[in-house]
Amino acid sequence: MLVAGAAAAVSAAVPARARSVTQPRWDVAVVGAGVFGAWTARQLLDSGKRVLLIDAWGPAHARASSGGESRMTRGSYGADEVYTRMALQSLPEWQALSDRADLPLFHRTGVLFVFPRPDPFLEDTLRVHRSLGLATSLLSGEALRRRIPAMAVNAEDQGLFEPGFGALMARRAVQTLVAEFVRAGGTYLQAAVAPPVGGGRVEALVTERGDRFAADDFVFACGPWLGRLFPDLLATRIFPTRQEVFFFAPAPGDSRFEVGQLPGWADFNNGDVYYGFPSLEGRGFKIAHDAHGPRIDPDQGDRTPSDAALADVRGFISRRFPDLAERPLSEARVCQYENSSNGDLLIDRHPNFRNVMLVGAGSGHGFKHGPAVGRYAAQLLLGALSVAEPRFSLATKAEREARAVH
């Protein structure tokens, strides 16, 4: 499936009316065609299940956490080895999907983490990476200055460079994956689903128009909408927050901000973390402040970029990328994270519906783990998982935010 035809293929797979889907019953229905839902649906389909994938607005749509231009894939997680392993497990599957596409879904830019001083996160990451055999290198301030001329660094700065990671083209990747799912025999449907009611078992999805779609098992991978579909359980445990992303136009001919000269990067700067990418496919220099923003309603929340957020990233750019300080803004976007209390993912069974799986809480770092999340969720649903990861359980999700995963 060519990427250029991915969206068209998905659109062609969507029936004009929900009632035109004639399958009497599915083995599994997956609600949410973002990165977690799409990879889970594909894993279940590959295991021989008849799978329905359903989304209210479409794969990686504009309000989805999987929407937008690009997402970082990286293995730097401090001491959180579980996420480094998931990133490593997912990377070859992203690469394979990209290799099958007409346009790239993965850009191996390398990823650089910058620290103004020795930091436990840096030291723990190096320890984990060495134990896993990753080719991660530690760079001094002088080495950073020679290697990345666009970045202003101090002699005390240290860099952690991961050569094998980079940027995933988020929206395009999810649309391509859903198109492949349909070509492989899965069913995709665009319709809004009503919250399940009762307890014990869910017998069918009921759309807001009253159509019913029966299945033996159900996966809800609805990102910031999980709290809407399960308000009593998740409205106080999933926290959608407003996140602003900006793109700046480098000077014409300035190659220092192109792929090959500037890697993907994250800057741990006195308690704040900023991150971004070189100019991917001509879109400009990307930057965002990785701090959980104010709460946002995923349906009705205002998506207008704020002057305060723009001033904040310009202030950072003036210090770290001074030659971009006066360059024009070329694009801005407001998306959202859906955070768990501590940043851990949620992949667990619903406590009241025994045939329902909950998958979500990407918490701003989940996209890269899509293939591993899909495999884990499918194995958990099918009873094929040897050992469950306790950090992904619902029981660990508190009602007060205390972010611990970066």
Side-chain angles (χ1 to χ4, degrees):
M1 170 60 62
L2 301 181
V3 171
V10 172
S11 297
V14 178
R17 289 181 58 80
R19 293 183 184 87
S20 66
V21 176
T22 58
Q23 174 73 39
R25 189 178 189 89
W26 280 267
D27 296 321
V28 187
V30 179
V31 182
V35 66
F36 287 174
W39 276 109
T40 301
R42 184 58 199 255
Q43 292 284 349
L44 289 165
L45 186 71
D46 289 347
S47 72
K49 298 298 181 181
R50 294 170 300 161
V51 183
L52 169 67
L53 177 63
I54 185 168
D55 195 282
W57 291 284
H61 60 84
R63 288 183 296 279
S65 297
S66 294
E69 190 70 15
S70 55
R71 296 291 185 275
M72 184 176 289
T73 177
R74 41 97 177 182
S76 290
Y77 271 97
D80 288 328
E81 185 172 333
V82 60
Y83 292 118
T84 301
R85 289 185 178 276
M86 290 178 72
L88 283 173
Q89 293 163 4
S90 297
L91 188 60
E93 295 191 59
W94 284 121
Q95 182 66 71
L97 185 66
S98 184
D99 290 344
R100 296 193 298 270
D102 187 43
L103 295 174
L105 308 178
F106 171 58
H107 291 281
R108 196 182 301 274
T109 63
V111 172
L112 173 70
F113 279 64
V114 181
F115 302 85
R117 62 185 65 86
D119 189 283
F121 185 96
L122 183 154
E123 295 165 1
D124 289 339
T125 296
L126 275 176
R127 175 179 51 78
V128 169
H129 284 203
R130 286 165 179 160
S131 71
L132 297 176
L134 281 119
T136 303
S137 56
L138 181 63
L139 303 176
S140 66
E142 181 58 33
L144 286 170
R145 188 178 294 113
R146 293 195 305 268
R147 190 163 186 166
I148 307 174
M151 181 178 285
V153 296
N154 301 315
E156 299 79 15
D157 288 340
Q158 292 183 300
L160 195 69
F161 183 66
E162 304 177 287
F165 291 89
L168 298 166
M169 307 308 290
R171 178 181 57 253
R172 184 193 301 164
V174 173
Q175 291 177 342
T176 300
L177 181 62
V178 174
E180 287 197 346
F181 165 80
V182 172
R183 282 168 52 90
T187 301
Y188 172 76
L189 171 68
Q190 190 162 317
V193 171
V197 295
R201 287 181 60 84
V202 173
E203 295 300 329
L205 296 175
V206 180
T207 72
E208 292 183 353
R209 295 194 302 194
D211 301 300
R212 292 174 59 86
F213 300 97
D216 296 330
D217 291 290
F218 299 85
V219 176
F220 286 82
C222 311
W225 289 274
L226 277 170
R228 295 284 182 84
L229 289 171
F230 301 97
D232 294 341
L233 184 68
L234 295 178
T236 58
R237 289 181 170 86
I238 300 291
F239 312 97
T241 60
R242 172 187 168 98
Q243 307 300 141
E244 301 190 42
V245 180
F246 299 92
F247 296 80
F248 292 88
D254 189 346
S255 63
R256 294 174 300 164
F257 299 97
E258 300 294 328
V259 174
Q261 297 297 313
L262 180 67
W265 56 273
D267 196 308
F268 283 63
N269 193 282
N270 297 321
D272 285 321
V273 180
Y274 296 82
Y275 72 93
F277 286 118
S279 182
L280 298 169
E281 303 180 3
R283 296 302 292 270
F285 173 89
K286 177 180 177 178
I287 181 171
H289 189 170
D290 184 34
H292 291 171
R295 298 289 183 92
I296 187 172
D297 182 314
D299 292 310
Q300 304 299 326
D302 180 26
R303 302 287 175 132
T304 305
S306 67
D307 292 340
L310 177 58
D312 173 57
V313 298
R314 277 201 182 276
F316 172 81
I317 288 173
S318 68
R319 298 188 298 274
R320 188 62 89 182
F321 299 97
D323 290 342
L324 280 179
E326 303 301 323
R327 297 300 304 163
L329 178 70
S330 59
E331 187 176 343
R333 185 174 187 272
V334 176
C335 58
Q336 77 263 315
Y337 291 168
E338 71 277 354
N339 308 294
S340 66
S341 55
N342 61 0
D344 277 326
L345 306 180
L346 169 62
I347 314 172
D348 200 359
R349 289 189 176 274
H350 193 289
N352 300 324
F353 296 109
R354 58 182 178 272
N355 64 335
V356 167
M357 182 79 66
L358 303 170
V359 182
S363 299
H365 71 100
F367 191 96
K368 70 180 75 63
H369 303 308
V373 167
R375 185 181 308 105
Y376 181 98
Q379 290 176 346
L380 185 59
L381 185 74
L382 299 175
L385 193 67
S386 57
V387 179
E389 172 53 58
R391 292 178 65 169
F392 301 161
S393 70
L394 178 64
T396 66
K397 306 303 180 282
E399 297 185 353
R400 180 175 297 178
E401 290 183 86
R403 184 180 183 183
V405 178
H406 295 276

